[in-house]
Amino acid sequence: MTDNSTACSGPDAENGFGRFFLPGPTEVRPSVLAAQKRALIGHRGEPVNALMREIQPGLREVFGTARPVLVSTSSATGLMEAAVRNGVRERVLSLVNGAFSERFARIARACGFEVDVLEVPWGGVHDPDSLRARLRERRYDAVTMVHSETSTGALNPIAGLAATVREFPDTLVLVDAVTSAGGAPVRADDRGLDFVLAGSQKAMALPPGLAFGVASERMLERSASAARKGVYFDLVVFYDSLAKEQTPNTPAVTLMYSLAEQLRHISAESLESRWARHSAMARRCAEWADAARESVGAELPVLAPEGFRSPTVTCLLLPRGRTGPEVARAMKERGFVIGAGYGRLKPRSVRIGHMGDHTVEELDRVLEALEEVLRAPPGQRPEGGRR
Ligand SMILES: *Cc1c(COP(=O)(O)O)cnc(C)c1O
């Protein structure tokens, strides 16, 4: 993480809401933050049952499922590990098109599984036909994929990819929906996803510290005999606890207060309007980038191809001579936080996280500032002397 802890970390008196555009963590409404201040309750007993009951309908809607949604006190990476530990017996195929999908493969390898990787260039997306060809060559227990690849801004066509995996009856579909859940339709049940996971601090616009997951019946059957699932992320235990409106271990109750509050906001806006707002922000960002030759004096390509762009994050390739960290710093001096590129894309791109509770109007102010930063000739750049 960069040092955005002071001037721009959320709505403060100086800057107000609408200046923090990292692709996670995202800005959190004051009322959602404040909800954490309620008195603590024990994690066994009626008060916690009531809290667990309260959050289920909203979470199920976000994931597009009729099944119970588990709440894990961990970041999303914890549930990526849960996905492979519970869903894989020996061999997994990882679809890689960026840093987070690569992380999925790395986790599976670290857990001792045999991992084959199907990789497309970063920024691109996977296609069902190549996936089908690969699945015909070898038998896999599961396929991992990332819906919205936050490092590149690409949105994988998970409906088609999942349908393709489902042609192979013994292979499970494991989906990271960390930056799509809450900003784009996930539709876990319709699409036959066996495990879908997300974290609290992305499009759900909550503080970091919780992760959510939905496991299919098939996933739980697989988990029942999974040899390397460990203890903390045992999905069978999670679902047994869910049946009792509880969690297996002590949950971050104060974050669940925030979750309950945010789900009320999400339901008031309606999930459909929320998706539309995110799509509008992504479109606005792309239109602005398309006009950059005139406004900025240089091409500013959106990395992901049209038609496969995430509604929650846009990755822009910078003109020669500009770097992600330098542009992000210059933005910060103007009071806005955006992300530099991620992983190997860090030096040559920036990422705008237009997710959570932001609006097109707030995004416009970010783009105005970015236009200024990118237009400024090198000598006049705040960072010019240092490079
Ligand atoms: C942020 C992110 C993660 C990791 O989430 P943590 O909460 O930091 O563990 C995983 N996948 C994607 C797509 C992400 O954007």
Side-chain angles (χ1 to χ4, degrees):
M1 270 303 310
T2 44
D3 56 335
N4 47 39
S5 54
T6 49
C8 305
S9 60
D12 60 19
E14 217 179 306
N15 286 320
F17 197 91
R19 292 179 160 256
F20 191 75
F21 279 73
L22 279 186
T26 50
E27 207 154 11
V28 178
R29 291 172 205 275
S31 70
V32 170
L33 270 181
Q36 289 182 82
K37 290 185 189 160
R38 272 169 56 195
L40 275 163
I41 53 175
H43 60 284
R44 302 283 178 251
E46 179 46 33
V48 88
N49 294 3
L51 184 56
M52 288 290 282
R53 255 197 314 279
E54 182 183 351
I55 61 182
Q56 278 300 317
L59 283 177
R60 290 179 198 187
E61 210 190 331
V62 165
F63 282 93
T65 185
R67 295 184 57 75
V69 178
L70 69 85
V71 178
S72 163
T73 295
S74 68
S75 82
T77 306
L79 287 189
M80 293 172 84
E81 183 159 337
V84 293
R85 283 190 178 279
N86 287 268
V88 182
R89 285 182 292 236
E90 281 163 15
R91 192 188 305 137
V92 60
L93 177 65
S94 286
L95 305 187
V96 173
N97 60 332
F100 290 101
S101 41
E102 187 174 66
R103 178 183 296 186
F104 230 158
R106 187 157 49 85
I107 291 170
R109 234 175 262 123
C111 292
F113 298 113
E114 190 188 340
V115 183
D116 283 354
V117 166
L118 179 57
E119 183 160 3
V120 297
W122 287 25
V125 294
H126 288 272
D127 80 274
D129 291 339
S130 319
L131 173 59
R132 184 178 300 105
R134 188 55 90 84
L135 291 173
R136 280 185 181 146
E137 281 169 25
R138 255 189 133 177
R139 207 198 61 77
Y140 293 97
D141 298 319
V143 177
T144 66
M145 62 186 81
V146 172
H147 190 192
S148 163
E149 179 43 91
T150 319
S151 64
T152 68
L155 190 76
N156 261 319
I158 53 164
L161 295 172
T164 303
V165 180
R166 297 300 298 240
E167 295 166 19
F168 301 78
D170 207 28
T171 308
L172 302 182
V173 189
L174 312 178
V175 179
D176 168 333
V178 177
T179 49
S180 57
V186 174
R187 303 201 214 286
D189 288 358
D190 287 355
R191 292 168 174 171
L193 313 181
D194 290 294
F195 190 66
V196 194
L197 66 106
S200 53
Q201 79 282 15
K202 305 278 172 94
M204 306 271 297
L206 288 159
L210 291 181
F212 315 109
V214 192
S216 70
E217 208 45 69
R218 302 198 313 159
M219 180 74 173
L220 292 180
E221 278 161 28
R222 179 70 59 82
S223 168
S225 61
R228 279 173 247 171
K229 64 180 167 176
V231 172
Y232 193 67
F233 291 121
D234 183 336
L235 293 183
V236 171
V237 174
F238 263 103
Y239 272 77
D240 286 348
S241 294
L242 272 172
K244 293 181 273 180
E245 299 177 319
Q246 288 183 2
T247 53
N249 301 290
T250 317
V253 166
T254 51
L255 290 175
M256 286 164 61
Y257 295 152
S258 284
L259 170 62
E261 171 70 11
Q262 176 65 341
L263 289 171
R264 280 191 284 276
H265 287 284
I266 291 177
S267 145
E269 181 183 9
S270 97
L271 210 47
E272 286 72 19
S273 311
R274 197 173 172 86
W275 295 334
R277 177 166 54 75
H278 281 85
S279 298
M281 287 192 284
R283 263 197 314 276
R284 175 79 192 99
C285 222
E287 283 163 12
W288 174 85
D290 287 346
R293 173 158 282 297
E294 288 90 74
S295 59
V296 169
E299 298 288 348
L300 208 61
V302 175
L303 178 61
E306 218 174 324
F308 298 97
R309 290 174 181 165
S310 172
T312 60
V313 53
T314 298
C315 180
L316 301 167
L317 292 178
L318 293 168
R320 195 177 289 282
R322 308 304 301 262
T323 72
E326 165 252 325
V327 171
R329 265 199 309 274
M331 284 296 284
K332 198 166 170 197
E333 276 161 24
R334 285 164 173 78
F336 293 96
V337 179
I338 63 168
Y342 192 95
R344 66 168 92 134
L345 290 164
K346 182 170 180 160
R348 49 188 195 105
S349 66
V350 287
R351 293 172 307 144
I352 302 175
H354 33 74
M355 68 178 95
D357 293 324
H358 287 312
T359 60
V360 172
E361 291 69 41
E362 288 159 7
L363 176 65
D364 275 337
R365 291 204 295 272
V366 179
L367 297 177
E368 250 168 56
L370 189 54
E371 200 163 297
E372 251 176 64
V373 165
L374 292 175
R375 217 170 31 212
Q380 288 169 24
R381 272 181 239 156
E383 306 302 321
R386 258 192 260 160
R387 297 183 61 220

